[in-house]
Amino acid sequence: MLTAEQRTGYDRDGFIVLPGFKDAAQIAALRARAEAIVDAFDPNESRAIFTTRDQERASDAWFLGSDNTVRCFFEEEAFGADGQLRQPKALSINKIGHAMHDLDPVFSAFTRDPKLAQVARDLGLVQPQVYQSMYIFKQPGIGGEVRWHQDATFFDTDPISVTTFWFALEDATIDNGCLWAEPGGHRGPLRERFIRDGDAIRMEKLDATPWPDDSTAVPLEAAAGTLICFHGLLPHYSAPNRSPVSRHAFTLHATDAGTVYSARNWIQRGADLPVRGFD
Ligand code: FE2
């Protein structure tokens, strides 16, 4: 699927952009399914948790409980001072996560794509294990920033193997908060590690190398249907969306079964929900 030139580009830059990877029908099916999940979501289910006294622990619990399930998360700016949604629910959700690719037939069909399996192989994943999926809305006006980070922070393996598959479901532009990345930045060190210890999570600082800035980062604008694959060490970021249009995207994170998956990663799979690849 990938040419030798594309593979060389991936090794050099740490990412590759593949326009037209998914067609309009595949995108429409995923968008419709996401809309249905949000429609069925009762905000009180999570609001009850968020109104407990210990806000941070409560939000951690809602997050941690989404590891092997399907849950909706609100944008940080979704609620006004009165505690009510400022926009309709469908325009207030930040993302759906984190196991739709295994638990939902529509998301699973999008993920189990022979073309995708081939790209993963071409990028060096001998036996891919897809640990996480996220449907990201980047809502108009309130779509939140995702600060600079590396995905290997969340999926630690020895050696590092996590690879990200990022699908544009709408045109991603500088205006509506497209990805930014530092070409070649995947050759730098892992800066942080996200550690789960039971019901507690923390970020461990590993390296003081600064995050990129405008002088070295490039915007990865992408038309709907584009697949962007990137290396687990590639620093990337996306700006808030202050524009009137959303920027839906879908991401998958896969590691290689030939590496050692850390027992301290926040997502663990057992025999009840075995981790699978793209086949
Ligand atoms: Fe990321």
Side-chain angles (χ1 to χ4, degrees):
M1 169 99 199
L2 298 183
T3 64
E5 198 177 323
Q6 286 176 312
R7 277 190 294 244
T8 305
Y10 183 81
D11 290 341
R12 180 191 61 229
D13 298 331
F15 64 87
I16 186 172
V17 180
L18 304 172
F21 193 86
K22 290 285 191 181
D23 64 31
Q26 291 171 307
I27 292 171
L30 205 71
R31 291 191 61 166
R33 185 63 196 129
E35 199 179 311
I37 290 172
V38 169
D39 196 44
F41 169 61
D42 174 6
N44 292 315
E45 198 185 331
S46 73
R47 193 181 295 163
I49 287 180
F50 285 109
T51 51
T52 58
R53 283 208 317 220
D54 192 341
Q55 286 260 345
E56 201 179 345
R57 269 183 69 140
S59 93
D60 287 354
W62 183 252
F63 169 75
L64 286 173
S66 73
D67 51 357
N68 296 323
T69 57
V70 180
R71 285 186 172 181
C72 296
F73 296 81
F74 284 108
E75 293 280 5
E76 263 184 41
E77 298 175 22
F79 296 95
D82 58 357
Q84 299 302 306
L85 285 176
R86 296 164 55 203
Q87 328 195 83
K89 181 179 68 171
L91 292 174
S92 301
I93 303 296
N94 169 281
K95 67 175 175 183
I96 309 171
H98 289 93
M100 302 84 76
H101 61 295
D102 285 330
L103 297 174
D104 185 277
V106 177
F107 277 89
S108 181
F110 192 94
T111 304
R112 269 87 211 185
D113 173 341
K115 258 177 33 174
L116 192 51
Q118 185 60 52
V119 168
R121 270 194 293 275
D122 290 349
L123 293 178
L125 289 171
V126 178
Q127 198 184 333
Q129 299 193 307
V130 187
Y131 271 96
Q132 174 179 270
S133 51
M134 289 192 286
Y135 188 106
I136 301 158
F137 291 88
K138 203 72 141 176
Q139 301 285 4
I142 61 166
E145 172 188 37
V146 178
R147 70 165 179 90
W148 282 101
H149 67 280
Q150 297 158 298
D151 288 347
T153 288
F154 301 92
F155 296 94
D156 184 28
T157 63
D158 186 15
I160 287 172
S161 63
V162 67
T163 305
T164 304
F165 300 84
W166 189 100
F167 301 88
L169 304 176
E170 294 183 292
D171 296 345
T173 67
I174 290 176
D175 277 353
N176 69 3
C178 69
L179 280 176
W180 289 71
E182 181 192 32
H186 64 302
R187 289 192 291 271
L190 182 62
R191 291 160 175 83
E192 300 170 310
R193 186 180 289 133
F194 186 73
I195 293 169
R196 177 177 195 167
D197 185 5
D199 291 337
I201 46 178
R202 63 190 159 91
M203 194 65 96
E204 182 180 67
K205 194 79 190 163
L206 301 175
D207 190 283
T209 302
W211 293 111
D213 58 29
D214 288 359
S215 65
T216 53
V218 297
L220 301 181
E221 291 193 303
T226 301
L227 167 61
I228 300 177
C229 307
F230 56 94
H231 189 281
L233 286 177
L234 184 76
H236 58 286
Y237 147 91
S238 70
N241 180 9
R242 300 302 179 199
S243 85
V245 291
S246 55
R247 192 228 67 188
H248 292 199
F250 178 61
T251 67
L252 294 166
H253 289 92
T255 63
D256 194 313
T259 64
V260 179
Y261 188 83
S262 171
R264 301 195 298 175
N265 286 335
W266 82 278
I267 294 180
Q268 300 291 330
R269 286 293 185 89
D272 52 335
L273 188 64
V275 67
R276 296 175 53 193
F278 294 106
D279 297 309

